[in-house]
Amino acid sequence: MSNFSFISDTEWRCGCCNKELQPSKVNVEYMGSVFNVELMACPACGFVLVPEKLALGKMLEVEQLLEDK
Amino acid sequence: MDQPQLRTLEATCIQEESPQCSAACPIHIDVRAFMGCLAKEDWRGARRVLDRTMPFADIVGRICDEPCRIACKRAEIGDPLAVGSLERFCVSTVPMVLKQPKLPAKGGSVAVIGSGLSAMTAALDLARKGRNVVMMTGDEEVGGSLRGYAEEILPARVLSGAVETLDSYGVNIQFGCSLNKEFFDIVRQDSDAVFFDRDCAGLAALSIDCTHPDPLTLAVGNDGCFAGGGTTENGFSIMKQVEDGRRASLSIERYLQKVSLTAQREREGSCQTRLHTVTIGIEPLKEVLPADPAAGFTKQEAAREASRCIQCECKECVKQCAFLQEFTDYPKRVARKIYNNQAIVQGTRTANKMINSCMLCGQCTVICPHDFPMAEVCRTTRENMVAKSTMPPSAHEFALQDMEFSLGEFSAMARHQPGLDSSRYLFYPGCQLAGSAPETVEQTYLHLTRHLDGGVGLMLGCCGIPAQWSGRQELFGQTMQTFQTEVRKLGDPLIITACSSCYAVFKEFAPELEVQSLWQILDKGELPEQKTAPPQQLLTIHDPCTVRHEPEIRASVRSILKKIGIATAEQPYSGELTDCCGYGGLMQFANVPLGEKASRAKGLRSDLDGLAYCAMCRDNLAASGRRIAHLLDYLFPAGGQEDPLLRPNPGFSGRHENRARLKQHLLTTLWQEEPTMPPEYKDIKLFIDAQVMVLMNKRHILEDDLQKVIFQAEQSGRRLIDPENGHFLASFKPVRVTYWVEYQPDKQGFVIHNAYSHRMILPGDVK
């Protein structure tokens, strides 16, 4: 999952800052492993969107892989 | 698990033992594989099976006296397989496929006296192994007694083909020898070992007694002479000739290598096998006979006859267990996988999911002819995984949090009967019944207080079995200790459990406490006046897995059913053999789809509507689509429930909320106490349709989690918005899991559109 991009157009806007989400590089972490990934996030407050497809797809896959390591 | 433990376990599972036919065959031909090939019309494959083990297959295949036939399991239910005729078909129609290689010459010269089938076999086997073999016979041809067969059974050209075969392996055949003492003296001097085929005229003249060879080694004397074959008290058997030739060749090999002639030879020749194959339920098909007996089988006839082979195996446990079926394995291989999994230091532990998927219910152990302890193996492995910190955190966390909630301030309580300060009894409904049918718990409790003297206390909580199943020994120990302290504080009353898991836990881990099942108490005492009419139809009883070894509890339940007029029918897999519903061992948490399969499988044991007396069985079977009631639904019906068979599965959220509501309700109504105030976020009102609820159950997301997310999002304003439809999307990470909720404010609360979660930690995760 390292250095992967999961950016895609989204209807979601930041409700706090009223801004469109922009691609943003963030570190996500699980079981001591850190991955630099590109996700959609609010350019002002940094609120990161994890879409359902990602949470239940690639992210779950990597979580389970790390749990079995 | 260490190597010796693994070996012991592996030896307990007999699936890899030989089938009866191969065990009975003196040279252990893989008859099962032979039949398998013929059945799928793989003629060359069938011939290869024979070539691998059978010497001179063209000859032996035509005249084999099939000692395996009487051992065939099909004989138990009808005609055994026509193995001999099928061998004959095979070698008559398919030429040799596999020619065994000859190993490099390694010295040692062996004389084989005689030229019957045992001499031929010994000569061939020894020549293949690189020994220098001279075959000496007074005859002018090979075959001995085999030459007496009619041409249509064993054509002379086939028999004499053996000479070519022996030649090709370098056997030096000397025909027309004069067998006398001088001849023998020379032979003895020139050879390191001698084999005498007793199917040979003139042996008596050789001044050596070949009549009583050692049955294990075929040695006569101890100077390298061996004898076998010929006619015995049982007559002249073809396979006995082959067996003796092979046994003698193995003895001579050992003799030449100067190793023990006797060690580890138990499995040579016909032997016993531990393979256990059940033939009940197999259709007793009649033997297929060739339409033209003289011509033998046609291809179609051969395939049809061979397809009657039931391909003997055990797998009795696998046939019944969703877990073993899922991992397409039998216990021996599961043990091996577990051993390998725990040996991994760096790399992926691929068996984690399997280890966490066993229901720990013990059904397989009851079925197993050797009591393979699968549950114990999986459970102790989980304990080791927890101890070594290799247990995947996600496997059991949800179940353990549920347990924590059941034991927490909002669900757990322990009180003497209202108005009394001592308890002779203590009703312990268990966390799942409290979650599934809270009103029934209340009614049951009130009934007990009315009919038992000396005070009936009440304790709501959890026995801790989820911790035990998940391998958390420390947590389980603490839970048991707290429980025991509470019971002692109440004056050591007799505990009445409605849940058979709690019963089993208390019996095993707190043996000093007095425990009885609610069913025994109700059966011995007074039953309530019935408020729900018994159903018109027959119900089938779904025993829970935790009463597998509790025949008295099972009998009490049946007795109560009889008294209240509910007609029931037994199903074959009940009682000691009953299935787990998928909750056992926390399977349904560690492997959601498999949990669903397991509950479906239990439900499908009978077409009848069901009756359970375990709350988890009841709810899981209801979730799988069965019409099923809990026994207490008929004894103490909840208000507003019309047909107990239609009570829906409350789901994880429902059970959670029910437990909290039960405690609050009982405290205020029976004990007139102030309830514990729920946290502020619990005021958030949710509207969740059935579809989203099903999704949340599968994803292990509680209403409680959604309330926390929305409460936090609405307070902070940190949420995403879809301007198109006005939906909000917010996330929150209460402990380790981040929950996402798509919702929409409504006049009275919030409509939930979707919910999902992940465990990966984001930089800005709100805690």
Side-chain angles (χ1 to χ4, degrees):
Chain A
M1 197 156 162
S2 56
N3 305 315
F4 279 123
S5 178
F6 298 98
I7 54 170
S8 61
D9 281 345
T10 175
E11 299 296 321
W12 294 110
R13 299 169 61 89
C14 183
C16 212
C17 315
N18 194 24
K19 286 202 181 326
E20 275 185 25
L21 303 188
Q22 302 284 334
S24 167
K25 293 214 163 179
V26 294
N27 284 337
V28 296
E29 187 231 304
Y30 192 54
M31 310 265 316
S33 294
V34 180
F35 304 93
N36 189 256
V37 295
E38 209 171 4
L39 293 169
M40 300 302 281
C42 172
C45 70
F47 190 115
V48 178
L49 166 68
V50 176
E52 181 182 21
K53 208 175 142 220
L54 177 62
L56 303 181
K58 192 74 191 166
M59 218 176 218
L60 177 66
E61 205 181 289
V62 174
E63 284 168 10
Q64 293 190 336
L65 207 72
L66 291 170
E67 290 195 346
D68 286 339
K69 282 279 178 208
Chain B
M1 191 194 299
D2 55 20
Q3 277 274 351
Q5 284 171 318
L6 172 67
R7 299 270 172 265
T8 312
L9 276 175
E10 284 188 318
T12 309
C13 174
I14 42 82
Q15 163 65 11
E16 288 175 12
E17 291 268 316
S18 302
Q20 305 296 332
C21 47
S22 303
C25 174
I27 55 167
H28 306 310
I29 287 169
D30 192 347
V31 184
R32 182 175 58 184
F34 175 68
M35 294 299 168
C37 290
L38 290 179
K40 57 177 198 249
E41 303 189 12
D42 175 8
W43 316 118
R44 284 174 53 83
R47 176 67 200 240
R48 187 179 293 113
V49 172
L50 296 185
D51 288 341
R52 201 175 292 138
T53 324
M54 187 184 267
F56 306 101
D58 285 307
I59 299 169
V60 177
R62 281 179 161 83
I63 54 177
C64 172
D65 47 355
E66 48 177 13
C68 57
R69 186 166 153 93
I70 49 164
C72 176
K73 290 295 281 186
R74 263 216 175 270
E76 289 175 5
I77 48 168
D79 301 331
L81 266 289
V83 190
S85 310
L86 287 168
E87 285 172 329
R88 187 177 173 75
F89 160 81
C90 180
V91 301
S92 325
T93 53
V94 190
M96 178 194 279
V97 171
L98 178 74
K99 185 168 161 68
Q100 297 276 13
K102 178 177 161 67
L103 300 181
K106 54 183 174 186
S109 57
V110 183
V112 171
I113 312 292
S115 56
L117 185 52
S118 67
M120 288 158 60
T121 303
L124 181 70
D125 281 5
L126 287 161
R128 274 178 191 163
K129 286 181 181 147
R131 300 297 180 186
N132 182 19
V133 183
V134 185
M135 184 188 227
M136 286 167 274
T137 172
D139 294 345
E140 297 299 331
E141 289 163 288
V142 294
S145 300
L146 268 51
R147 290 201 301 277
Y149 275 97
E151 177 70 14
E152 58 271 27
I153 293 178
L154 182 59
R157 60 166 175 83
V158 172
L159 185 53
S160 54
V163 175
E164 235 172 87
T165 306
L166 289 165
D167 258 352
S168 71
Y169 284 99
V171 176
N172 175 2
I173 311 179
Q174 298 176 4
F175 291 110
C177 301
S178 348
L179 304 184
N180 53 39
K181 188 172 180 310
E182 292 70 38
F183 162 81
F184 177 59
D185 288 343
I186 296 167
V187 167
R188 197 66 201 87
Q189 222 164 29
D190 293 349
S191 324
D192 300 309
V194 185
F195 174 66
F196 299 91
D197 180 354
R198 296 186 302 171
D199 183 24
C200 170
L203 278 191
L206 296 183
S207 72
I208 179 156
D209 180 11
C210 294
T211 49
H212 295 100
D214 179 86
L216 180 68
T217 64
L218 298 183
V220 283
N222 50 14
D223 59 348
C225 289
F226 300 85
T231 304
T232 63
E233 63 270 27
N234 301 319
F236 183 84
S237 154
I238 292 298
M239 289 314 288
K240 172 74 178 156
Q241 310 306 307
V242 176
E243 177 188 355
D244 280 6
R246 179 145 296 166
R247 188 183 287 275
S249 75
L250 290 168
S251 289
I252 289 171
E253 251 322 293
R254 287 170 177 241
Y255 179 78
L256 295 176
Q257 288 175 17
K258 299 187 168 50
V259 295
S260 163
L261 285 188
T262 53
Q264 295 191 314
R265 301 190 67 169
E266 304 77 24
R267 298 185 74 83
E268 274 177 40
S270 287
C271 62
Q272 296 292 314
T273 173
R274 296 189 305 149
L275 185 68
H276 169 82
T277 303
V278 175
T279 50
I280 297 166
I282 291 173
E283 197 189 342
L285 303 170
K286 280 206 97 48
E287 181 178 341
V288 176
L289 297 168
D292 177 356
F297 280 130
T298 62
K299 284 186 171 178
Q300 281 117 328
E301 286 166 344
R304 265 174 55 222
E305 173 59 8
S307 66
R308 291 200 307 127
C309 173
I310 59 173
Q311 294 288 310
C312 282
E313 57 175 2
C314 178
K315 286 199 180 171
E316 284 303 305
C317 55
V318 183
K319 286 179 198 167
Q320 307 307 333
C321 171
F323 157 66
L324 289 168
Q325 283 163 22
E326 181 78 2
F327 293 92
T328 55
D329 257 326
Y330 41 92
K332 182 173 184 172
R333 303 209 355 173
V334 171
R336 167 63 64 173
K337 282 188 188 171
I338 289 176
Y339 179 81
N340 291 341
N341 197 66
Q342 67 176 29
I344 290 170
V345 179
Q346 271 203 321
T348 306
R349 295 179 182 84
T350 50
N352 283 352
K353 188 98 174 174
M354 180 191 77
I355 294 162
N356 286 326
S357 294
C358 172
M359 291 168 271
L360 309 181
C361 76
Q363 182 193 47
C364 57
T365 308
V366 172
I367 293 172
C368 177
H370 300 283
D371 301 342
F372 191 99
M374 180 62 78
E376 207 35 42
V377 171
C378 286
R379 205 196 54 76
T380 49
T381 304
R382 293 180 196 177
E383 246 179 68
N384 291 337
M385 287 161 72
V386 171
K388 284 162 61 187
S389 303
T390 58
M391 175 61 89
S394 68
H396 303 125
E397 194 171 87
F398 182 70
L400 291 172
Q401 280 174 356
D402 195 50
M403 168 178 147
E404 193 185 328
F405 180 79
S406 296
L407 287 164
E409 57 173 334
F410 298 110
S411 312
M413 60 176 276
R415 295 284 188 283
H416 290 299
Q417 187 172 324
L420 299 180
D421 53 12
S422 69
S423 299
R424 194 164 148 205
Y425 302 93
L426 177 68
F427 180 44
Y428 194 93
C431 61
Q432 301 299 2
L433 184 65
S436 176
E439 278 187 62
T440 304
V441 168
E442 181 184 4
Q443 295 303 318
T444 309
Y445 177 59
L446 292 174
H447 174 86
L448 292 173
T449 58
R450 282 194 289 265
H451 291 90
L452 293 175
D453 295 328
V456 184
L458 177 72
M459 194 188 287
L460 301 179
C462 169
C463 68
I465 205 167
Q468 221 258 345
W469 281 337
S470 73
R472 270 78 174 178
Q473 278 321 94
E474 209 182 314
L475 177 61
F476 177 62
Q478 287 162 2
T479 309
M480 276 314 288
Q481 208 164 14
T482 311
F483 169 75
Q484 280 161 296
T485 310
E486 288 285 323
V487 173
R488 215 163 298 133
K489 267 199 253 168
L490 293 170
D492 280 324
L494 183 154
I495 302 158
I496 302 171
T497 66
C499 167
S500 44
S501 302
C502 301
Y503 179 87
V505 165
F506 299 156
K507 277 266 172 195
E508 185 175 352
F509 298 99
E512 69 284 1
L513 299 181
E514 237 189 312
V515 188
Q516 280 203 16
S517 111
L518 172 67
W519 315 117
Q520 290 166 299
I521 298 281
L522 289 176
D523 187 33
K524 277 183 296 194
E526 265 178 82
L527 289 174
E529 257 179 68
Q530 218 165 320
K531 293 174 196 147
T532 312
Q536 299 293 306
Q537 71 271 46
L538 269 179
L539 299 184
T540 190
I541 305 173
H542 289 287
D543 289 313
C545 56
T546 37
V547 299
R548 193 180 305 291
H549 303 296
E550 300 292 346
E552 285 169 20
I553 296 181
R554 302 198 306 258
S556 297
V557 166
R558 283 156 177 79
S559 162
I560 294 169
L561 284 165
K562 209 168 161 193
K563 287 182 198 167
I564 62 174
I566 293 182
T568 56
E570 296 289 350
Q571 38 168 313
Y573 283 83
S574 65
E576 216 190 356
L577 291 173
T578 194
D579 305 308
C580 169
C581 67
Y583 176 67
L586 303 182
M587 178 219 246
Q588 69 179 101
F589 300 93
N591 192 334
V592 176
L594 187 55
E596 287 171 3
K597 266 190 209 169
S599 56
R600 227 173 10 248
K602 184 174 172 83
L604 288 173
R605 287 291 187 185
S606 165
D607 295 336
L608 299 174
D609 292 342
L611 184 119
Y613 51 104
C614 159
M616 271 328 290
C617 288
R618 212 300 307 179
D619 287 355
N620 275 338
L621 265 60
S624 82
R626 296 305 306 210
R627 289 157 49 93
I628 182 164
H630 192 285
L631 173 51
L632 287 177
D633 292 334
Y634 288 107
L635 294 169
F636 306 104
Q641 184 60 53
E642 281 169 20
D643 185 349
L645 291 166
L646 299 178
R647 184 157 66 85
N649 168 35
F652 295 119
S653 284
R655 276 190 284 271
H656 205 81
E657 306 296 322
N658 280 342
R659 284 178 210 134
R661 233 171 283 144
L662 176 65
K663 175 179 175 181
Q664 189 163 350
H665 171 76
L666 293 180
L667 273 187
T668 48
T669 57
L670 297 185
W671 281 272
Q672 274 87 42
E673 287 181 28
E674 285 295 314
T676 318
M677 283 306 288
E680 210 181 332
Y681 72 82
K682 295 302 289 178
D683 293 337
I684 300 258
K685 183 125 183 66
L686 304 177
F687 299 97
I688 309 173
D689 71 25
Q691 235 177 330
V692 176
M693 209 66 212
V694 168
L695 207 66
M696 286 168 57
N697 263 319
K698 274 193 207 289
R699 294 179 178 176
H700 294 163
I701 299 171
L702 301 174
E703 285 180 46
D704 193 73
D705 301 319
L706 305 192
Q707 287 171 316
K708 285 177 188 162
V709 177
I710 294 173
F711 181 75
Q712 174 281 137
E714 292 298 306
Q715 291 254 311
S716 67
R718 282 180 63 81
R719 57 195 183 182
L720 302 176
I721 183 165
D722 184 340
E724 288 280 303
N725 55 20
H727 290 186
F728 291 115
L729 182 66
S731 73
F732 183 57
K733 178 169 173 280
V735 190
R736 275 173 293 272
V737 177
T738 303
Y739 298 97
W740 288 82
V741 186
E742 183 178 339
Y743 65 96
Q744 194 174 22
D746 182 80
K747 277 197 287 296
Q748 289 99 25
F750 299 89
V751 178
I752 304 301
H753 294 288
N754 195 8
Y756 55 93
S757 71
H758 57 78
R759 304 177 68 89
M760 219 165 247
I761 304 162
L762 301 176
D765 260 339
V766 185
K767 282 195 189 170

